Amino acid sequence: MAAPSSFSLLGDTAGASRHRMPSLWTRLLQGAGVLAVLGLVASAFLPREASWLVALTAVIVLGVPHGALDGAVAAPLLRPRYGRAWFGVFAIPYLGLSALVLLAWQVLPLATLAGFLAVSVLHFGEEDAGSGRPIEALVRGGLPIALPALLRPEETAQIFSVVARMPMPQLPTWWSAAAWLWLALTGAWLLTRQARWNVLGEITGLAAAFLALPPLTAFTLYFVGLHAPRHMLALVRDPIKAPGVDTMQRAVRTSLPIFALTLLLGAGLWPLYASGSSDVSANLLTVTLQMLSALTVPHILLDHIAARHQSRSDY
C-alpha cells in the first residue's frame, strides 16, 4: 500500500485510522501540528543556538515517539513464543545494536555518518513512496538528505561537524557527489511525468522549506510533519502489525513508556557528551542525532522482520 503524500500531521488523520477518532482529538492533534510548524518556522529567525534548541526539542518530543511504537510491533511477533519474557528478548538486542552504532560514532565517525545518511535515504523513501516504487523512493527519501548539501552546504557541514565531533570545513566529497546524482535522478524522474500531483506538491513544499529555512529547521519540519506521523498512521491502518494500535490516540498513549525510557537513556548519556563543553545546543545536537541514528538501525530491522512475517502469514 502506498504511503500518504501530504503533510500527515495536518492532513486527514481521522480517515486514516481503522476506527474514526473523536473529533475533539483530531482537532487537538491538527492544532498541535499547526502550532509546531509555525513555531519551527519562527525559530529560524532566532540566533543559531536558540534555533537548534527549538528544532531539537521538536525532534525529541514530536519525532522520537514514532520509534517508541516498536514495542507494539515486536509484541505480537515475540509474545506467542516467549510469553512474559518477550520484552527482554526484544529490548536486549535492540539496545545492544544501538550501543554498537553509538560506539561506531566514536571510532569511525565519517563512515558512521555515511552509513546513517544512506540508511536514512532508504528508510525515508520506503515510508514516503511505499513498496514497488524504487525510483520514487530514492527521490523522496533522498530529498531531506541531498537538498541541504546542495542549497546550504556550509551550514550542513557545520551541523555534522558538531555531530561527528571532528573538523568539517566543507561537506565530504562523497556527500556532495551523491547530492548531485540525486538531483539528476530527480530531474529525469520528473521528466517521465510519473509523479502524482500530490507527490509533486509535497516535493515542491519541502524544496521551498529547505531553500528558505536553516537545514536543521527544514529537516525537523520534514521529520515531525511527515515522517513520524506517516509511520504512526501506517501502524494505525494495519490490523496485523500492531493490533493494539488502532487509533492515533492509542498510538500516542502506547508510545509513552518506551519514549520515557528513551529520554532516560539520553539523560544518562548526557554527561558523557557534555563533559568539557558548556555549549548546550551543540551537546544536545550531538546526543540527539547520534541517538537517532543508533535507534534507526534496529527500528528499520524490526520493520523488515515484521513485514516479512506478515507476508508469510498472508500465504
Side-chain angles (χ1 to χ4, degrees), residues 213-231:
L213 300 172
L216 186 61
T217 303
F219 173 79
T220 302
L221 277 174
Y222 166 77
F223 191 70
V224 307
L226 277 176
H227 177 70
R230 186 169 276 166
H231 180 85

Side-chain angles (χ1 to χ4, degrees), residues 64-79:
V64 171
H66 86 281
L69 286 170
D70 283 356
V73 175
L77 296 174
L78 300 176
R79 187 182 281 126

Side-chain angles (χ1 to χ4, degrees), residues 21-42:
M21 289 188 293
S23 58
L24 176 60
W25 174 257
T26 303
R27 289 196 296 270
L28 288 173
L29 188 63
Q30 291 173 338
V34 171
L35 290 175
V37 168
L38 292 176
L40 280 168
V41 172

Side-chain angles (χ1 to χ4, degrees), residues 154-206:
E154 293 81 9
E155 292 178 65
T156 304
Q158 184 182 45
I159 288 170
F160 285 95
S161 174
V162 173
V163 174
R165 296 196 154 187
M166 60 179 296
M168 197 179 294
Q170 60 186 20
L171 286 177
T173 304
W174 51 261
W175 190 348
S176 300
W180 283 107
L181 286 174
W182 171 85
L183 186 62
L185 175 66
T186 300
W189 181 70
L190 291 173
L191 287 174
T192 64
R193 300 183 180 179
Q194 294 183 12
R196 303 177 300 283
W197 285 109
N198 55 347
V199 174
L200 284 174
E202 179 178 304
I203 290 174
T204 302
L206 285 171

Side-chain angles (χ1 to χ4, degrees), residues 36-301:
V37 168
L38 292 176
L40 280 168
V41 172
S43 74
F45 299 96
L46 297 173
R48 191 203 72 173
E49 290 76 11
S51 177
W52 281 9
L53 287 173
V54 172
L56 293 168
T57 300
V59 167
I60 294 167
V61 175
L62 299 176
V64 171
H66 86 281
L69 286 170
D70 283 356
V73 175
L77 296 174
L78 300 176
R79 187 182 281 126
R81 184 171 182 178
Y82 297 101
R84 293 180 180 178
W86 78 267
F87 187 77
V89 175
F90 156 69
I92 292 172
Y94 195 103
L95 293 176
L97 187 53
S98 298
L100 288 176
V101 176
L102 289 176
L103 179 61
W105 276 109
Q106 311 307 314
V107 179
L108 297 167
L110 268 183
T112 306
L113 172 62
F116 174 43
L117 296 176
V119 165
S120 297
V121 169
L122 296 176
H123 181 50
F124 293 157
E126 188 174 275
E127 290 279 350
D128 291 347
S131 60
R133 296 190 176 110
I135 303 301
E136 180 180 332
L138 283 174
V139 168
R140 298 175 71 181
L143 188 151
I145 306 301
L147 278 186
L150 294 172
L151 298 174
R152 295 175 180 251
E154 293 81 9
E155 292 178 65
T156 304
Q158 184 182 45
I159 288 170
F160 285 95
S161 174
V162 173
V163 174
R165 296 196 154 187
M166 60 179 296
M168 197 179 294
Q170 60 186 20
L171 286 177
T173 304
W174 51 261
W175 190 348
S176 300
W180 283 107
L181 286 174
W182 171 85
L183 186 62
L185 175 66
T186 300
W189 181 70
L190 291 173
L191 287 174
T192 64
R193 300 183 180 179
Q194 294 183 12
R196 303 177 300 283
W197 285 109
N198 55 347
V199 174
L200 284 174
E202 179 178 304
I203 290 174
T204 302
L206 285 171
F210 278 98
L211 180 63
L213 300 172
L216 186 61
T217 303
F219 173 79
T220 302
L221 277 174
Y222 166 77
F223 191 70
V224 307
L226 277 176
H227 177 70
R230 186 169 276 166
H231 180 85
M232 296 177 83
L233 286 169
L235 289 181
V236 166
R237 289 191 181 98
D238 194 325
I240 299 173
K241 198 170 184 180
V245 180
D246 56 0
T247 67
M248 281 294 286
Q249 186 174 10
R250 287 184 180 175
V252 172
R253 191 166 57 237
T254 301
S255 73
L256 292 179
I258 293 182
F259 175 53
L261 178 61
T262 305
L263 293 181
L264 287 175
L265 289 173
L269 290 172
W270 179 264
L272 299 176
Y273 286 88
S275 176
S277 173
S278 59
D279 190 338
V280 175
S281 62
N283 292 332
L284 185 61
L285 177 67
T286 306
V287 172
T288 301
L289 291 195
Q290 286 198 13
M291 279 196 68
L292 201 62
S293 70
L295 295 170
T296 295
V297 174
H299 173 69
I300 292 173
L301 286 176

